[in-house]
Amino acid sequence: MSEKKKILFSGIQPSGNLHIGNYIGAISQWLEMQENYNCIFCVVDYHAITVKQDPEILRKKIIEIAKIYLALGIDPKKSIIFQQSDIKEHTELAWILNTITRINDLKKMTQYKDKTKRLIEKTKNKIKNKDKLGNILNLKTKEISRKILSKEDSAGVGLFDYPVLMAADILLYDTEIVPVGDDQAQHVELTRTLARRFNKQFGDTFIIPELKFRKEGARIMGLDNPEKKMSKSALSELNYISLTDNPEKGAKKIMKATTDSGSEIKYNPEKKPGISNLLTIYSLFGGKDIKTLEKEYKNKKYGEFKKDLAEIIKKFLTNFQKKYNKISGKEVEKILENGSKKLKVIADKKIKEVKKKIGVL
Ligand code: TYM
């Protein structure tokens, strides 16, 4: 790594299908920054296991995510790509940071609240559908709420503690910048709080990292529901375009995307969330700013706009998948191994410094 360049760290979970929201919010920023920073890109497998995973699928997904990084243009000669669980110092530092994290810090995290809310919804539905004959069960309200409460309590500790592991990922390498989508902003803010808290208690140890996200595109919304974030775990496939979707299928999803009432192609996320989301996507994939697109499509219909965007997405997916299919699993394994080898030295040095500061070394 070059001494002169600042360190950039980011990562993606190997769960679900990587979609164009992940690309716009995170990876497209990485590509722009690759030349000017010492970049470390992680496949965060220990984060993925905070929700239930099938071990066989997880193993495949780890390789798939790294392959996607490469096919999109992350260059292993310039950047380091590695698998989180290969470097035990991540979990070691997470444990140490746990001791200065307050339960209240974590209870505030919206992502945790959202995920547990989803668990509760699932339980609610189960309670309703419990009758084998298909009759909706008429349980007393009291009993229902008792079951819901117990579900909240039974959310995994890993899910709750997840942001501390993310803080460890970042702080372990003296990271100065973290490019992510805006759903991760709160986690980066917590990382900054923990770094400051540690430094105050034990003396200067950690760099306070900066958050970096796109002004437009930090939150790509669901194609089927532009009021909610595009998500890997969405119930409907029409919510997202996966990078490994058949290009024709990807184009169809654009044509089916929800648009707003009226017919004007204008960027206004509050009044026109559907078309504003599509304009953001078009802007990134078509390499034109939103103002230019608004002018180009003045007096044109949604259908025409969608057709052009569908074509752009189809081309992007075709080109990407050509590159993706050429990369072998073996090649990826070697790159991940090399990445870990380089980082182990840095991680070992940092954890020793931390252990000395807290008095265990
Ligand atoms: P993950 O795997 O959920 O998402 C990966 C990246 O994609 C961004 N993203 C989006 N951006 C725009 N629009 C969307 N709809 C959208 N959905 C997701 C996310 O903000 C993220 O940048 N905890 C992290 C992974 C992580 C990490 C780290 C990131 C672990 N350690 C250290 C940075 C630094 C996560 O679960 O991202």
Side-chain angles (χ1 to χ4, degrees):
M1 289 206 271
S2 148
E3 298 266 311
K4 279 185 236 136
K5 291 182 187 170
K6 290 180 177 174
I7 293 176
L8 176 157
F9 188 102
S10 199
I12 296 183
Q13 292 190 57
S15 59
N17 292 319
L18 221 80
H19 53 65
I20 58 169
N22 300 120
Y23 173 69
I24 297 178
I27 306 177
S28 71
Q29 293 200 81
W30 306 355
L31 294 171
E32 285 169 10
M33 299 168 90
Q34 186 169 222
E35 304 295 332
N36 301 324
Y37 290 85
N38 283 320
C39 295
I40 307 174
F41 299 120
C42 187
V43 179
V44 291
D45 50 355
Y46 273 168
H47 277 102
I49 59 165
T50 56
V51 296
K52 207 170 167 190
Q53 302 290 343
D54 175 325
E56 274 316 307
I57 296 177
L58 180 60
R59 246 186 293 280
K60 282 195 193 121
K61 284 272 168 196
I62 291 166
I63 299 297
E64 185 184 301
I65 295 285
K67 219 191 242 191
I68 289 176
Y69 288 179
L70 295 167
L72 285 172
I74 300 299
D75 180 351
K77 287 195 199 88
K78 295 177 189 154
S79 302
I80 295 177
I81 303 175
F82 81 110
Q83 184 180 340
Q84 185 186 34
S85 63
D86 271 350
I87 300 196
K88 60 185 183 341
E89 284 79 3
H90 286 248
T91 41
E92 203 173 348
L93 180 57
W95 178 254
I96 296 169
L97 293 176
N98 268 334
T99 64
I100 60 158
T101 308
R102 299 170 191 147
I103 286 181
N104 239 357
D105 292 328
L106 299 180
K107 273 196 172 161
K108 284 191 280 197
M109 297 292 128
T110 33
Q111 200 169 67
Y112 169 72
K113 285 195 268 188
D114 284 351
K115 285 191 178 172
T116 39
K117 207 156 88 192
R118 255 184 268 155
L119 278 177
I120 293 168
E121 282 306 320
K122 265 193 195 163
T123 313
K124 262 190 196 165
N125 292 337
K126 263 191 204 152
I127 292 169
K128 261 195 220 153
N129 297 330
K130 219 164 181 185
D131 189 330
K132 279 186 189 142
L133 298 169
N135 300 319
I136 290 176
L137 273 184
N138 202 1
L139 291 176
K140 283 184 201 136
T141 327
K142 210 171 146 194
E143 201 181 337
I144 293 176
S145 42
R146 186 178 52 77
K147 289 204 172 168
I148 292 169
L149 264 181
S150 72
K151 196 68 193 174
E152 187 171 11
D153 288 345
S154 64
V157 174
L159 195 61
F160 186 58
D161 199 32
Y162 166 119
V164 181
L165 179 58
M166 180 161 160
D169 297 340
I170 296 168
L171 299 178
L172 190 58
Y173 300 103
D174 289 334
T175 301
E176 296 200 44
I177 193 147
V178 187
V180 281
D182 84 344
D183 62 336
Q184 297 301 318
Q186 212 184 10
H187 297 158
V188 178
E189 201 39 63
L190 175 74
T191 304
R192 290 162 58 82
T193 303
L194 295 183
R196 281 198 209 97
R197 204 176 282 164
F198 188 99
N199 289 351
K200 194 163 169 222
Q201 199 172 332
F202 300 104
D204 253 6
T205 311
F206 294 122
I207 287 178
I208 315 294
E210 296 289 333
L211 166 74
K212 168 93 175 41
F213 62 80
R214 284 196 177 282
K215 224 169 103 224
E216 277 127 16
R219 175 174 291 251
I220 296 296
M221 310 309 273
L223 296 177
D224 61 342
N225 176 5
E227 308 280 340
K228 274 195 174 163
K229 186 185 81 148
M230 182 176 283
S231 165
K232 285 189 263 200
S233 51
L235 290 177
S236 163
E237 269 211 19
L238 291 178
N239 174 273
Y240 57 82
I241 296 175
S242 158
L243 294 176
T244 47
D245 267 352
N246 172 302
E248 286 292 344
K249 186 171 157 190
K252 273 197 190 125
K253 287 185 185 178
I254 292 287
M255 295 311 289
K256 284 192 179 150
T258 306
T259 36
D260 324 283
S261 54
S263 60
E264 207 187 357
I265 294 166
K266 193 116 194 98
Y267 186 79
N268 184 342
E270 255 141 57
K271 294 205 175 114
K272 292 178 131 301
I275 203 71
S276 301
N277 193 38
L278 294 180
L279 271 167
T280 308
I281 296 172
Y282 197 144
S283 165
L284 202 279
F285 284 102
K288 290 179 182 172
D289 61 40
I290 291 177
K291 283 265 161 285
T292 311
L293 289 171
E294 282 177 340
K295 266 190 220 145
E296 232 172 78
Y297 286 93
K298 201 166 182 237
N299 301 325
K300 290 191 179 159
K301 299 241 159 43
Y302 285 161
E304 201 171 332
F305 173 86
K306 277 179 160 183
K307 221 169 119 210
D308 292 348
L309 176 56
E311 205 44 50
I312 290 174
I313 293 288
K314 198 165 103 184
K315 246 191 214 146
F316 173 83
L317 292 178
T318 308
N319 286 339
F320 160 75
Q321 287 169 17
K322 246 187 225 152
K323 289 183 200 146
Y324 179 88
N325 289 329
K326 276 194 195 139
I327 304 168
S328 74
K330 280 263 164 298
E331 212 177 313
V332 173
E333 278 169 23
K334 193 93 212 118
I335 287 168
L336 289 174
E337 217 180 286
N338 278 342
S340 301
K341 237 188 237 160
K342 285 184 201 154
L343 291 181
K344 264 188 182 131
V345 189
I346 307 172
D348 180 62
K349 198 167 154 225
K350 192 74 195 177
I351 205 78
K352 281 200 176 119
E353 183 191 348
V354 172
K355 284 166 94 172
K356 263 195 196 137
K357 290 267 171 70
I358 62 168
V360 297
L361 201 71

